[in-house]
Amino acid sequence: MDLKPGDKVRFLNEKGGGIVTGILSNTMVNVAIEEGFVVPVQVKDLIVIEPKGAADRFFDRQVKVNLPEKAAAVPEKAKEPAPVPETSNDDRISYLYRQSGIRAIEGIYMAFAPHDQKWLISGNLDIFLVNNTGYDALFSFSLMEEEKGYAGVDYDVIPPYSKLLLETISREDIEGWSDGVMQVIFHKNEISPILSPLHAAFKIKPVRFYKETSYQDFPLIGLKAVLINLGDLAGQVIISSTETFAKSGIDPAAKQKLTALTPEAVIDIHKTAPFEAEVDLHISALRQDYTEMPQNEILIYQLEYFSRMLESAIAHNYTKVTFIHGIGNGTLKTAIKTRLAEYDHLEIRNAPFAKFGYGAVEVVISQKGS
């Protein structure tokens, strides 16, 4: 199917459509959709709508797009060389793949994607910061520098449902990118819930990048990658007023400074004793809206939460974490054990039967691997 800028199209597997604004390749085009975004879509997932055709009814409203105007013909000898555009941060940003039924938990991710998608454990990696939310994400990113402290690496704004290329690194650089902190402020121009800032510390073992099982399909970017779920949108606190601070007698600005200086580890919400935690992975314990989630999405969410809690426990010197997976059909338990096999210096054993039955696993963390 031949497409050209200006063609009106509808999505084959979803309601709605848009207008083609650019040709990326023989199989991919940019489409301006009704929400005002331009997204890359595969040609096979589009149907061209003929003028005044019956398929026009699939559009809920008109999509306004400013297409580039055709320049008047200029004699060949009068043409001047086109100026070389300056490099901008926009070159690092691209939209996520959100068509053809692709679904993912709304949140902020880091993705380490190998250039060679066939040989995942060799070659360079692209490091993406993924904003799978409807908010602009204002971020600040820091990395540990030779165990002396965190040094700022990058800061920018990522539009909604977009990814930003932080860096391309070689395998030799992996260790320097394995311990960091990401801070994100969520912003919208229109009236919307005000969300608390995201503060996510991560520490990932370099050995994981040399195991093919560490790489998983990430449809939002169309690549296999080592994923870090920095935080999901459902977990962000909605800030409604300053009444809570007023009642405490602490100035809100001072309270904010104190919190920023001493951020809590996410694993701390599950702490049961000094350096020990108990994490219930039943979806009903993690989200209130789980009844609307399909089974495959529930499993993805549970595994992402498990990984985030385990990484946080390792980074903050916890010695033992009990993960409650339940009995069920054993899918979650098997997936957890597969994920745990990617780590060194972890002792895996059954949790106390008297308390958990067969529904939990106990992870003992040796800080030799920190």
Side-chain angles (χ1 to χ4, degrees):
M1 176 172 57
D2 293 328
L3 292 174
K4 61 184 182 298
D7 283 347
K8 183 183 287 188
V9 294
R10 71 173 177 87
F11 301 128
L12 181 62
N13 300 312
E14 291 187 4
K15 182 180 178 181
I19 294 177
V20 176
T21 61
I23 309 299
L24 299 178
S25 68
N26 291 334
T27 60
M28 188 80 68
V29 297
N30 275 338
V31 177
I33 60 177
E34 295 173 351
E35 289 80 4
F37 301 121
V38 176
V39 295
V41 185
Q42 291 187 329
V43 173
K44 66 181 180 65
D45 293 330
L46 297 172
I47 295 178
V48 178
I49 296 178
E50 300 296 335
K52 298 181 180 179
D56 264 336
R57 69 181 184 276
F58 286 97
F59 282 90
D60 297 323
R61 61 179 185 274
Q62 292 294 322
V63 180
K64 296 182 179 180
V65 179
N66 294 322
L67 294 173
E69 297 181 0
K70 293 183 178 179
V74 179
E76 192 67 29
K77 62 181 180 179
K79 289 183 179 179
E80 297 182 0
V84 178
E86 296 182 2
T87 302
S88 70
N89 282 345
D90 289 343
D91 297 333
R92 301 195 298 161
I93 296 174
S94 55
Y95 290 101
L96 302 177
Y97 298 106
R98 302 184 64 239
Q99 308 304 324
S100 303
I102 291 175
R103 297 188 63 181
I105 303 299
E106 290 213 339
I108 305 295
Y109 300 82
M110 278 185 70
F112 296 77
H115 282 192
D116 191 335
Q117 288 286 293
K118 184 176 181 181
W119 304 101
L120 299 172
I121 59 175
S122 62
N124 293 344
L125 300 105
D126 284 335
I127 304 176
F128 295 103
L129 182 59
V130 178
N131 175 20
N132 187 37
T133 77
Y135 290 78
D136 288 304
L138 294 74
F139 76 90
S140 173
F141 178 47
S142 302
L143 287 171
M144 176 63 72
E145 199 168 88
E146 298 179 354
E147 299 186 357
K148 297 177 182 177
Y150 291 100
V153 174
D154 201 354
Y155 63 93
D156 210 325
V157 180
I158 310 180
Y161 304 114
S162 302
K163 67 179 184 293
L164 179 142
L165 178 62
L166 286 170
E167 189 62 85
T168 298
I169 64 171
S170 67
R171 297 280 162 166
E172 290 73 23
D173 298 326
I174 287 175
E175 188 168 358
W177 285 78
S178 61
D179 186 352
V181 174
M182 187 70 69
Q183 296 173 304
V184 180
I185 295 176
F186 299 96
H187 171 78
K188 268 189 181 181
N189 288 330
E190 63 266 23
I191 296 175
S192 58
I194 303 298
L195 302 181
S196 60
L198 169 68
H199 179 101
F202 68 90
K203 193 171 185 179
I204 186 168
K205 294 181 180 299
V207 69
R208 288 186 62 189
F209 293 92
Y210 296 95
K211 297 180 179 179
E212 289 197 358
T213 54
S214 299
Y215 296 88
Q216 54 185 294
D217 287 315
F218 194 28
L220 289 176
I221 65 174
L223 298 168
K224 288 185 177 181
V226 173
L227 287 180
I228 301 176
N229 181 353
L230 298 172
D232 55 85
L233 207 60
Q236 295 306 116
V237 177
I238 297 177
I239 302 173
S240 57
S241 69
T242 58
E243 290 181 3
T244 304
F245 294 131
K247 290 178 181 178
S248 67
I250 301 176
D251 179 71
K255 178 73 173 179
Q256 187 176 13
K257 288 181 181 178
L258 288 172
T259 303
L261 289 172
T262 57
E264 294 183 355
V266 291
I267 189 63
D268 286 350
I269 61 176
H270 300 289
K271 181 185 288 187
T272 55
F275 302 105
E276 295 184 7
E278 186 178 293
V279 182
D280 189 348
L281 293 174
H282 286 95
I283 191 63
S284 58
L286 302 180
R287 294 186 61 152
Q288 295 181 347
D289 60 347
Y290 68 93
T291 55
E292 302 174 2
M293 299 171 67
Q295 285 300 315
N296 65 321
E297 190 171 322
I298 288 176
L299 180 61
I300 291 172
Y301 188 89
Q302 290 171 312
L303 284 176
E304 288 177 345
Y305 194 84
F306 160 78
S307 294
R308 189 145 55 100
M309 293 304 107
L310 180 60
E311 294 286 355
S312 180
I314 293 172
H316 292 86
N317 300 317
Y318 272 61
T319 56
K320 185 174 71 174
V321 183
T322 301
F323 291 99
I324 304 171
H325 50 69
I327 301 175
N329 58 14
T331 303
L332 178 59
K333 179 180 179 180
T334 301
I336 287 174
K337 288 191 172 182
T338 300
R339 192 71 60 88
L340 286 170
E342 300 171 2
Y343 292 83
D344 296 325
H345 307 292
L346 295 182
E347 181 184 347
I348 317 302
R349 57 195 187 195
N350 293 327
F353 183 83
K355 182 176 181 180
F356 302 103
Y358 294 107
V361 62
E362 194 171 85
V363 180
V364 178
I365 304 169
S366 168
Q367 293 307 319
K368 292 178 182 179
S370 299

